[in-house]
Amino acid sequence: MPGTSLGTTGDTDLQPDESVGVDEVDILLVLDSLSPSQLAAILAPMRHLERSRVAVLTTPAAAAGLPTAAGSKPLSIVQVSDLDLALPHLRCVLAVGDYMHLGAIAHATALGANAAFLVAQHGIVTPHAPPLPKGAELLAWSEEDGEFWAGGRNDVTSHTVGGQLLHEALRSGDQQRVGGEATSLTYLGQLHGHELQRRSMARAAGAFCRTTGALYRPHPSETDIASRMQHRLWRLRGIEFESSGMPLPELNTAVVSVFSTGVLEAAAAGIPAWVDFPEPPQWLEEIWQRYGMKRFGSSAPTVVPPTVNEPAKEIAEIVLQRAGGRR
């Protein structure tokens, strides 16, 4: 079982403060990875929280790479009882679910402590999404997402707050894009996904790139042997790759994918974005419809409505309410 790291945060610019003790902590943020979607959904709300009250539960590798230096007092947490002892005053947990190791530990601890367990949506919700934890409160991107993911269960509730990832993409697009028409087309890879057969995903991506001349941008998780072999085969067949490493909202290129959250992120940043897949199954067409994703070849690209308020701030307010209010 991998070790984890629990750290409290300081009072200024999220820098560590050795004077802060866990006795003051009643809010726990669970960060399973440093993916942009989790940083936006889980860590961004910290800007609006009383930081002496917050601890971050994450892996040692992630703690070392945190841009916020959140791990000021690392503790080895490998059992639920360890977390119980470390945070005796826990009132609220914010996570992306309980389907990974850290989330499962935090959810069990929240149940035992009678603490609120908030699930922040951090990407597109498909029919294959893990079920919401028992007694969870979902912080959804939209009412439709909330209803879909809750699935009529009476033990979970949902609040619509919007997507921080899309909010940040909108701001990034406003500040960084220089304007003008996109000069190329990039296909956002999803070979890592399990919703569709890998063979079908690879066939669709390869055919699209060969037909349109689109560049292929691998998903960061496409590091397994099968994905690397597929990448090599495509390169041998003349498909070019987009390997700049630039954040998606900063690309000066239109994008296409099957149902990647990146389509919405790009659209929010003002980048033309579409979806494409031959003979899509019904559930995929329903996802396209729920998120307003436009099929490639449509005259108008995907449009993401701007959020009125910053989702991270709304999430923080709900967290504070569940933790008993401001001090």
Side-chain angles (χ1 to χ4, degrees):
M1 181 180 295
T4 63
S5 180
L6 175 70
T8 56
T9 63
D11 293 327
T12 58
D13 197 27
L14 299 184
Q15 295 302 309
D17 181 353
E18 294 298 332
S19 66
V20 175
V22 293
D23 286 344
E24 302 177 53
V25 173
D26 57 1
I27 297 169
L28 178 65
L29 308 184
V30 183
L31 196 64
D32 293 292
S33 75
L34 295 183
S35 67
S37 62
Q38 287 209 26
L39 290 176
I42 303 299
L43 213 56
M46 191 185 293
R47 296 195 297 265
H48 308 285
L49 295 172
E50 301 169 52
R51 293 165 188 163
S52 63
R53 300 174 61 178
V54 180
V56 176
L57 180 64
T58 190
T59 64
L66 275 177
T68 58
S72 64
K73 291 182 178 292
L75 300 174
S76 178
I77 306 295
V78 294
Q79 301 289 340
V80 173
S81 59
D82 293 334
L83 193 54
D84 293 338
L85 295 173
L87 300 178
H89 306 296
L90 184 64
R91 300 290 299 277
C92 182
V93 177
L94 178 66
V96 296
D98 68 342
Y99 55 92
M100 297 182 70
H101 175 61
L102 300 186
I105 290 178
H107 182 240
T109 301
L111 289 176
N114 197 28
F117 192 86
L118 307 181
V119 174
Q121 180 180 343
H122 69 111
I124 286 176
V125 180
T126 77
H128 302 273
L132 290 169
K134 177 182 178 181
E137 294 184 56
L138 171 62
L139 307 179
W141 285 8
S142 67
E143 290 186 13
E144 293 79 8
D145 278 341
E147 293 176 0
F148 181 84
W149 204 353
R153 288 169 52 185
N154 56 17
D155 67 313
V156 297
T157 56
S158 176
H159 312 277
T160 300
V161 297
Q164 180 67 18
L165 182 71
L166 306 185
H167 180 80
E168 292 179 358
L170 175 63
R171 293 178 57 192
S172 177
D174 289 343
Q175 296 171 3
Q176 299 183 32
R177 294 200 76 213
V178 296
E181 295 293 329
T183 58
S184 59
L185 186 62
T186 297
Y187 191 96
L188 306 180
Q190 291 184 268
L191 293 181
H192 67 296
H194 60 274
E195 293 87 353
L196 292 165
Q197 291 185 351
R198 175 186 285 267
R199 180 179 300 179
S200 299
M201 296 285 277
R203 186 183 301 117
F208 186 91
C209 290
R210 287 193 300 271
T211 301
T212 64
L215 306 177
Y216 184 82
R217 179 177 168 113
H219 189 277
S221 296
E222 292 181 22
T223 57
D224 57 282
I225 294 177
S227 293
R228 296 200 305 270
M229 291 179 63
Q230 183 66 68
H231 296 166
R232 182 179 180 184
L233 177 61
W234 280 337
R235 285 189 170 97
L236 290 174
R237 292 181 175 177
I239 292 177
E240 297 184 14
F241 278 55
E242 199 295 302
S243 305
S244 68
M246 292 178 61
L248 186 57
E250 297 178 21
L251 290 180
N252 188 28
T253 169
V255 301
V256 173
S257 191
V258 179
F259 61 94
S260 170
T261 302
V263 170
L264 299 181
E265 189 180 1
I271 297 172
W274 294 272
V275 289
D276 186 76
F277 192 77
E279 300 181 5
Q282 182 178 351
W283 67 262
L284 182 55
E285 290 186 311
E286 290 173 349
I287 284 179
W288 291 348
Q289 182 177 4
R290 176 155 36 102
Y291 291 99
M293 294 175 162
K294 302 300 183 182
R295 297 191 69 167
F296 185 72
S298 303
S299 57
T302 302
V303 175
V304 174
T307 51
V308 177
N309 301 312
E310 184 187 13
K313 187 174 183 179
E314 294 201 21
I315 291 173
E317 288 297 327
I318 295 174
V319 167
L320 286 173
Q321 290 172 12
R322 300 302 180 269
R326 296 185 181 274
R327 292 176 180 171

